[in-house]
């Protein structure tokens, strides 16, 4: 046990037994109510859970997150074979931290201010309080020398806070959304605290090379730190400087699971049923997003509406299925967007529908994975028109489901996925004429060209799946010299 003794923590709990700790905004389970009124927890259908489940099992892992409701019990529990610790939020914290600082300050700011961010000190204070709660929960669960993986923009202060509580753990942070350029990030009144919070980690992961470059620039300009290649040198008041590695790790999906799902006969039958319900049109176009202003849903609708108006697409020969899942419904910009989208859908259908057939089938609903796979199978053309998107996993899910190598992906160049999928039809969604031409090209693409493109995209998504993403990140994190051995006499002794 030499070098592995439990360290004296500088505060917050004496540590737990888990070798691997995930801290994410939400728990990976949903509470589902049965017909008899009793409720049970089911794993939420996310790639992150499927990627981390095996790691959690092997390393005896625990997941720390919020259930999505106010005032949860704070008792740890096991569900769907996972050890879970709930971080509870009060109704006021949901308003100020989740709806406020996370989704009305950071979300619009990090997505290139598509909507104006609000800067409110009381929201910031709530963000600090809630981040501290996550950090304390992580410190309380992590065993000696554990690996702690913190996720996303909701928890950017956690690495720094955790580092203060526990010098013996390895800390990684992965940002699922873009990291903005300095010109935008500089607007944040608490920019320095965010940079310092993130730099509590040993490894910081971003989706795209550009995001990592933006963060390195923020370190230099916002915190006056020295960077060398992918390393940031972080001085320590009580010892030698630390080095933080900043890397690019594009996230992916559980490709094999989607492929398997799309081969199941009930899913294939459902896909046929969907096409029949639409009147077996020549071309089915599909968009699936959370109802979010970053997704370019209005741009997509405007382009489609104009194509119908110009007779370049004709209803019912072409049909658009528009799934916009409810999201962050109490945040003002999301309410406004919903109104705008619904007015636009009604206008297009009002102008171009006939009795019994509509050019847009709008669904403000959330679907299980089986139905999503059936929709992907039913669609000839997938439209991903985000104005800004960390990755966009829907694009990858569509590709994974197209086992027969048919189907065309129209993909915004402002998604992380565009870096990996040059064989998609890449578009600038702000260029409505360009978007219209690309949609028409997609609907008329020769089968051989579509197959060639889809085959290349499938190769990429198969090789670089979410398991590969998690393994790459964790390999880099585990390469960090063992903190317990290195820090017995001081908080930080990695050569700077
Ligand atoms: O990274 C973006 C993200 O936070 C995802 O983790 C999540 O699935 C999605 O946005 C929706 O977020 P929420 O419903 O928690 O606000």
């Amino acid at each position: 046990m030499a070098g592995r003794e439990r360290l004296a923590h500088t505060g917050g709990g004496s540590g737990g037994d888990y070798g691997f700790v995930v801290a994410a905004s939400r728990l990976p389970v949903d509470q589902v109510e049965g017909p008899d009124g009793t409720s049970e927890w089911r794993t939420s259908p996310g790639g992150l859970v499927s990627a981390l489940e095996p790691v959690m099992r092997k390393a005896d892992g625990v997941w720390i997150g919020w259930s999505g409701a106010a005032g949860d019990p704070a008792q740890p529990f096991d569900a769907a074979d996972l050890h879970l610790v709930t971080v509870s939020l009060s109704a006021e914290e949901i308003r100020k931290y989740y709806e406020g600082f996370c989704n009305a300050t950071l979300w619009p700011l990090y997505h290139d201010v598509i909507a104006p961010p609000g800067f409110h000190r009381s929201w910031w204070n709530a963000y600090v309080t809630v981040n501290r709660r996550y950090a304390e929960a992580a410190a309380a669960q992590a065993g000696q020398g554990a690996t702690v993986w913190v996720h996303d923009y909701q928890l950017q202060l956690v690495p720094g806070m955790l580092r203060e509580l526990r010098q013996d753990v390895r800390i990684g942070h992965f940002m699922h959304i873009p990291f903005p350029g300095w010109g935008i990030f500089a607007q944040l009144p608490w920019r320095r605290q965010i940079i310092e919070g993130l730099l509590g980690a040993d490894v910081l992961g971003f989706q795209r090379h550009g995001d990592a470059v933006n963060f390195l620039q923020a370190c230099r300009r916002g915190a006056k730190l020295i960077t060398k290649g992918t390393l940031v040198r972080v001085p320590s008041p009580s010892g030698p400087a630390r080095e933080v590695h900043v890397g690019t790790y594009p996230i992916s999906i559980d490709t094999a699971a989607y492929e398997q799902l799309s081969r199941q006969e009930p899913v294939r039958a459902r896909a046929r049923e969907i096409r029949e319900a639409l009147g077996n049109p020549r071309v089915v176009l599909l968009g699936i997003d959370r109802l979010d202003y970053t997704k370019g849903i209005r741009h997509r609708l405007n382009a489609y509406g104009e194509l119908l108006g110009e007779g370049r697409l004709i209803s019912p020969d072409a049909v658009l299925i528009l799934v916009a899942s409810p999201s962050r419904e109490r945040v003002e910009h999301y309410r406004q967007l919903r109104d705008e989208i619904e007015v636009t859908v009604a206008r297009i259908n009002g102008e171009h529908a006939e009795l019994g057939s509509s050019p847009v089938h709008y669904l403000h609903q959330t679907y299980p994975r089986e139905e999503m796979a059936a929709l992907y199978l039913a669609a000839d053309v997938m439209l991903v028109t985000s104005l800004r998107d960390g990755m966009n996993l829907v694009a990858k899910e569509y590709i994974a489901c197209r086992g027969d190598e048919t189907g065309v992906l129209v993909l915004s160049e402002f998604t992380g996925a565009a870096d990996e999928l040059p064989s998609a039809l890449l578009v600038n969604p702000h260029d409505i004429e360009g978007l219209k031409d690309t949609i028409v090209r997609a609907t008329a693409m020769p089968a051989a060209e579509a197959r060639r493109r889809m085959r290349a995209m499938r190769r990429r998504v198969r090789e670089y799946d979410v398991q590969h993403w998690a393994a790459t990140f964790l390999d880099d994190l585990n390469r960090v010299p063992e903190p317990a051995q290195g820090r017995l006499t001081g908080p930080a002794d990695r050569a700077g």
Side-chain angles (χ1 to χ4, degrees):
M1 234 350 226
R4 300 273 302 166
E5 296 91 325
R6 188 175 295 289
L7 296 176
H9 303 142
T10 50
S14 59
D17 296 326
Y18 292 107
F20 183 60
V21 180
V22 173
S25 168
R26 289 186 187 258
L27 287 173
V29 291
D30 295 318
Q31 204 160 16
V32 189
E33 203 153 295
D36 58 352
T38 57
S39 64
E40 60 168 16
W41 294 93
R42 284 206 201 128
T43 323
S44 354
L48 192 57
V49 197
S50 33
L52 296 183
E53 248 177 4
V55 190
M56 305 259 295
R57 225 168 275 133
K58 204 166 144 207
D60 193 16
V62 64
W63 190 302
I64 296 169
W66 171 51
S67 76
D72 306 303
Q75 285 307 315
F77 66 109
D78 285 4
D81 285 337
L82 296 165
H83 302 304
L84 304 166
V85 169
T86 309
V87 170
S88 54
L89 299 187
S90 67
E92 193 189 358
E93 284 168 344
I94 293 176
R95 197 165 52 74
K96 292 182 174 169
Y97 153 80
Y98 172 73
E99 291 162 4
F101 200 76
C102 290
N103 292 315
T105 303
L106 293 173
W107 183 266
L109 187 78
Y110 282 31
H111 288 87
D112 288 354
V113 294
I114 296 167
F119 300 117
H120 301 287
R121 284 161 287 180
S122 65
W123 292 2
W124 163 253
N125 291 338
Y127 186 77
V128 175
T129 303
V130 172
N131 270 247
R132 180 156 295 122
R133 197 169 300 151
Y134 275 84
E136 282 170 358
Q141 299 301 328
Q144 174 69 41
T147 296
V148 182
W149 196 358
V150 184
H151 289 265
D152 226 353
Y153 65 103
Q154 300 96 341
L155 304 181
Q156 295 173 97
L157 303 179
V158 171
M161 291 170 166
L162 179 58
R163 172 77 58 211
E164 276 179 23
L165 295 168
R166 296 285 301 268
Q167 288 89 47
D168 61 307
V169 295
R170 286 191 175 95
I171 307 173
H173 181 282
F174 182 75
M175 187 74 81
H176 292 248
I177 69 172
F179 194 86
W182 173 246
I184 288 176
F185 183 68
Q187 291 177 28
L188 187 67
W190 307 279
R191 62 196 192 194
R192 192 178 182 112
Q193 290 94 314
I194 294 284
I195 295 168
E196 288 172 358
L198 285 168
L199 288 173
D202 297 293
V203 175
L204 289 170
F206 293 89
Q207 300 276 27
R208 305 177 90 167
H209 177 67
D211 299 321
V213 168
N214 286 345
F215 178 74
L216 288 165
Q217 196 188 24
C219 291
R220 289 189 298 271
R221 300 194 59 177
K224 304 286 174 259
L225 294 171
I226 296 169
T227 66
K228 194 173 168 205
T230 62
L231 296 176
V232 186
R233 192 186 155 89
V234 184
S236 153
S238 52
R242 294 167 51 236
E243 276 182 344
V244 177
H245 169 70
V246 176
T248 308
Y249 307 85
I251 199 170
S252 193
I253 57 164
D254 188 347
T255 310
Y258 273 94
E259 287 193 315
Q260 205 186 22
L261 202 56
S262 66
R263 281 196 297 265
Q264 287 174 11
E265 190 38 41
V267 173
R268 302 189 75 80
R270 174 67 188 142
R272 290 193 291 274
E273 197 177 279
I274 290 169
R275 287 192 75 103
E276 266 163 40
L278 299 172
N280 281 319
R282 180 182 65 85
V283 52
V284 175
L285 302 113
L286 173 66
I288 300 185
D289 307 276
R290 279 186 308 102
L291 201 155
D292 194 299
Y293 49 81
T294 60
K295 302 292 182 183
I297 302 171
R298 278 177 310 173
H299 297 63
R300 189 185 314 160
L301 272 174
N302 288 340
Y304 182 65
E306 286 189 21
L307 287 171
L308 291 169
E310 292 162 10
R312 294 172 74 191
L313 288 181
I314 294 165
S315 172
D317 181 64
V319 171
L320 170 64
I321 305 175
L322 191 73
V323 178
S325 316
S327 183
R328 305 171 187 167
E329 291 186 283
R330 295 198 314 192
V331 179
E332 186 52 30
H333 286 118
Y334 288 75
R335 290 188 211 200
Q336 280 172 15
L337 179 71
R338 182 174 175 189
D339 288 348
E340 285 169 26
I341 286 173
E342 293 183 354
V343 165
T344 310
V345 168
R347 182 171 49 72
I348 296 173
N349 280 339
E351 283 173 13
H352 301 287
E354 286 174 15
L355 285 175
S357 71
S358 308
V360 185
H361 287 250
Y362 166 69
L363 302 153
H364 184 242
Q365 286 165 54
T366 304
Y367 293 107
R369 265 217 286 207
E370 290 73 15
E371 182 71 0
M372 299 274 277
L375 285 163
Y376 294 136
L377 280 173
D380 305 293
V381 176
M382 183 79 212
L383 298 175
V384 176
T385 54
S386 313
L387 307 177
R388 200 83 172 87
D389 214 331
M391 177 48 63
N392 197 283
L393 296 178
V394 159
K396 293 186 175 181
E397 289 170 8
Y398 178 67
I399 293 165
C401 287
R402 307 300 300 194
D404 64 358
E405 297 178 341
T406 62
V408 181
L409 173 64
V410 174
L411 180 62
S412 163
E413 58 195 51
F414 303 117
T415 60
D419 287 355
E420 293 180 77
L421 302 170
S423 297
L425 293 186
L426 296 180
V427 282
N428 169 3
H430 296 284
D431 170 12
I432 298 295
E433 288 305 324
L435 179 56
K436 283 159 61 182
D437 291 347
T438 308
I439 292 175
V440 170
R441 184 173 166 208
T443 62
M445 184 176 285
E449 183 184 349
R451 188 173 296 275
R452 184 174 48 75
R453 289 173 178 274
M454 186 54 78
R455 188 173 297 159
M457 294 192 288
R458 285 180 58 75
R459 255 200 308 271
R460 172 79 200 186
V461 172
R462 274 183 153 169
E463 193 176 339
Y464 293 89
D465 59 8
V466 76
Q467 287 79 9
H468 178 275
W469 166 80
T472 313
F473 185 94
L474 290 172
D475 279 356
D476 282 356
L477 186 53
N478 288 328
R479 259 199 287 273
V480 170
E482 192 170 346
Q485 284 175 3
R487 291 187 186 136
L488 278 170
T489 53
D493 61 355
R494 292 176 56 210

